[in-house]
Amino acid sequence: MLIGLVGKPSVGKSTFFKAATLAEVEIASYPFTTIKANHGVGYVKVDCIDKEFNVQCNPNHGFCIDHKRFVPVELMDVAGLVPGASEGKGLGNQFLDDLRQADVFLHIVDVSGETDVEGKPTENYDVSKDVIFLEDELDKWFLGILMKVWKGFARKVEMEKSKFSEAVAKQFSGLKVDEEQVKIVLRKANLPERASTWNDEQIKEFASELRKQSKPMIIVVNKCDHPNAKKNMDKLEKDFPDKLIYPCSADSELALREAAKAELIDYIPGNGSFSIKGDLTEKQKIALENIQKKVLDVYGGTGVQEVLNLAVFELLKYIAIFPAGATKLADSKGRVLPDCFLLPGDSTALDFAYYLHTDFGKNFIKAIDARTKKILGKDYKLKHRDALEIVTR
Ligand SMILES: Nc1nc2c(ncn2[C@@H]2O[C@H](COP(=O)(O)OP(=O)(O)OP(=O)(O)O)[C@@H](O)[C@H]2O)c(=O)[nH]1
Ligand SMILES: [Mg+2]
């Protein structure tokens, strides 16, 4: 799974990325600080099941603090996008290509209203403009890819009587479009049956809907620590009542995670408070107090962890599954509940077996629920935080 961070320059994409991954990336107040895409590992937060079993887990990947399990997800931070990017403006559309493989987008916007459309300093900027231009650019990007092959493609599909959605998914697999998504778009968009008869407007609508379906998006309202945040956030919510909008202060999250890493504070990402444990300078103390007062007390958290969880569990509807022996929770090396995997929400016990290993899938006999010891068949529909043993021939 890949989460892509998008947005105009200087909104805090790299700050969000660094807060989530603690990777060393460049952050600065001038536009186009990021040129080459950054890849890193962030985490989603899951209530660990170790507590229920009265054990402490030892994760192979990620970590667990206070029975909160942090499961790795891949993150990508790209260069800032400006109007006309799909035609090569700004840093061009090369980095749009970096975003092809993303499953979900976090559109980072700067709620301070103090950066213009190109990320340069300004005042009273209308933040809603960013939502419109960015989605428009992404639509143009999809349309451009579609149009390169459209004429021949639409006719060929009709001639061969291929299933249209299957053919589109195959043609655009590089954009991670799947057949189900195309079907949903066709149901929603009310387009004529024969694709070769679609006019420009209809092709445009199809591209836009396909983009929305295959790259769902959260509008991450960053810099919510800023004095203008409330006013501009209210406007965004009024202008876009149907969009998923979430407040965030990437800068605050970064400060908290760095302080925790330096053992100055105890802080669990996503929590609404922290406790001081090291010797702080007066400056550090004031900075942390400000984060508590202006961000955590107001929003309940910095928003970084919440947004990652929203993307994976609400938008993409993934679930976390723990492989667990029905009689033994440790692996052969003695590691307790070493793994936690993220699977699509509609997965079955058999899908899980195949996910672990093809041989497990092929030789599947049954699954056992490690909590209840109940036997589950191959069609059992997995639930979030299930703990399962797969029994094979
Ligand atoms: N007040 C405040 N400032 C922030 C926050 N997040 C980032 N910033 C500041 O915004 C500026 C731009 O941050 P970057 O993370 O470099 O922005 P970017 O979107 O990656 O920018 P480009 O790489 O140029 O596209 C920096 O000065 C950050 O310190 C935040 O939550 N609050
Ligand atoms: Mg950047």
Side-chain angles (χ1 to χ4, degrees):
M1 172 168 359
L2 177 61
I3 301 174
L5 304 176
V6 296
K8 74 179 183 186
S10 304
V11 291
K13 297 179 297 300
S14 299
T15 309
F16 185 105
F17 178 84
K18 187 171 180 183
T21 63
L22 286 183
E24 280 310 321
V25 293
E26 230 179 301
I27 293 171
S29 59
Y30 53 83
F32 301 118
T33 304
T34 306
I35 295 174
K36 264 189 72 196
N38 297 307
H39 286 261
V41 176
Y43 303 90
V44 286
K45 183 179 181 182
V46 177
D47 282 328
C48 193
I49 61 166
D50 62 353
K51 201 172 179 180
E52 291 173 51
F53 290 92
N54 279 318
V55 292
Q56 174 58 56
C57 69
N58 321 103
N60 274 333
H61 305 283
F63 52 95
C64 196
I65 324 176
D66 217 2
H67 306 291
K68 300 289 176 200
R69 181 90 168 219
F70 288 83
V71 185
V73 288
E74 206 188 320
L75 249 69
M76 179 162 53
D77 165 38
V78 297
L81 240 143
V82 294
S86 57
E87 294 136 36
K89 290 236 173 72
L91 287 185
N93 55 12
Q94 163 230 323
F95 66 89
L96 277 168
D97 277 350
D98 293 333
L99 293 167
R100 281 170 181 252
Q101 284 300 310
D103 296 282
V104 60
F105 284 156
L106 302 182
H107 178 192
I108 315 284
V109 300
D110 176 352
V111 78
S112 72
E114 292 184 348
T115 46
D116 71 7
V117 74
E118 289 175 337
K120 294 191 207 113
T122 185
E123 273 172 40
N124 295 321
Y125 179 78
D126 177 0
V127 182
S128 297
K129 278 192 191 162
D130 288 351
V131 175
I132 296 166
F133 106 74
L134 187 110
E135 296 202 20
D136 189 46
E137 260 343 293
L138 294 177
D139 282 348
K140 283 185 185 150
W141 168 48
F142 257 63
L143 183 66
I145 295 170
L146 207 71
M147 287 315 280
K148 271 192 200 139
V149 293
W150 183 254
K151 276 218 167 81
F153 172 76
R155 245 184 269 123
K156 186 167 148 251
V157 171
E158 273 172 20
M159 247 158 40
E160 292 176 357
K161 296 220 178 328
S162 333
K163 275 168 57 197
F164 182 70
S165 37
E166 196 182 312
V168 173
K170 209 167 145 204
Q171 184 74 38
F172 301 104
S173 61
L175 274 168
K176 259 201 174 171
V177 170
D178 71 32
E179 207 181 322
E180 198 46 43
Q181 291 164 345
V182 186
K183 281 186 184 153
I184 294 170
V185 168
L186 291 174
R187 266 202 302 276
K188 264 193 179 164
N190 195 22
L191 293 157
E193 178 118 8
R194 290 180 54 204
S196 63
T197 68
W198 295 358
N199 60 30
D200 287 354
E201 272 314 300
Q202 288 167 324
I203 299 172
K204 232 165 135 178
E205 184 188 351
F206 179 68
S208 172
E209 290 300 327
L210 199 60
R211 189 270 299 169
K212 288 185 194 130
Q213 200 61 45
S214 62
K215 313 272 182 225
M217 184 146 76
I218 302 176
I219 297 176
V220 181
V221 185
N222 192 34
K223 309 193 188 180
C224 75
D225 51 278
H226 193 278
N228 293 343
K230 168 108 184 57
K231 177 183 78 183
N232 290 335
M233 173 93 185
D234 287 350
K235 178 158 193 300
L236 278 172
E237 281 179 337
K238 193 169 131 269
D239 288 351
F240 305 104
D242 300 328
K243 292 193 193 289
L244 183 52
I245 300 176
Y246 206 93
C248 165
S249 174
D251 204 31
S252 304
E253 180 70 12
L254 180 57
L256 291 174
R257 293 221 191 169
E258 286 186 330
K261 199 176 163 201
E263 307 218 334
L264 295 173
I265 61 169
D266 275 324
Y267 169 65
I268 303 176
N271 281 12
S273 62
F274 55 87
S275 53
I276 294 172
K277 67 173 180 186
D279 285 332
L280 300 178
T281 63
E282 197 53 28
K283 208 172 141 208
Q284 286 170 326
K285 218 169 123 196
I286 292 169
L288 288 171
E289 274 169 11
N290 268 330
I291 291 175
Q292 184 68 53
K293 211 165 61 203
K294 291 187 185 158
V295 180
L296 301 181
D297 289 348
V298 179
Y299 301 97
T302 68
V304 170
Q305 188 61 58
E306 293 88 327
V307 158
L308 294 175
N309 271 48
L310 261 181
V312 171
F313 297 121
E314 303 294 327
L315 271 191
L316 296 176
K317 301 206 178 336
Y318 269 60
I319 49 177
I321 304 295
F322 294 81
T327 53
K328 196 168 142 265
L329 294 173
D331 66 7
S332 56
K333 292 180 207 123
R335 295 180 80 93
V336 177
L337 294 169
D339 292 307
C340 176
F341 297 116
L342 299 172
L343 271 81
D346 56 0
S347 303
T348 61
L350 186 64
D351 292 330
F352 179 45
Y354 270 106
Y355 179 90
L356 294 173
H357 200 284
T358 319
D359 288 345
F360 284 9
K362 278 189 196 147
N363 300 316
F364 181 95
I365 296 178
K366 62 184 176 187
I368 305 174
D369 183 323
R371 286 191 183 90
T372 61
K373 319 293 177 215
K374 249 172 75 178
I375 293 183
L376 309 165
K378 67 177 183 352
D379 296 328
Y380 168 75
K381 207 171 161 296
L382 305 181
K383 293 195 303 291
H384 184 49
R385 300 178 61 250
D386 263 346
L388 297 182
E389 174 171 347
I390 302 292
V391 181
T392 55
R393 261 198 297 277

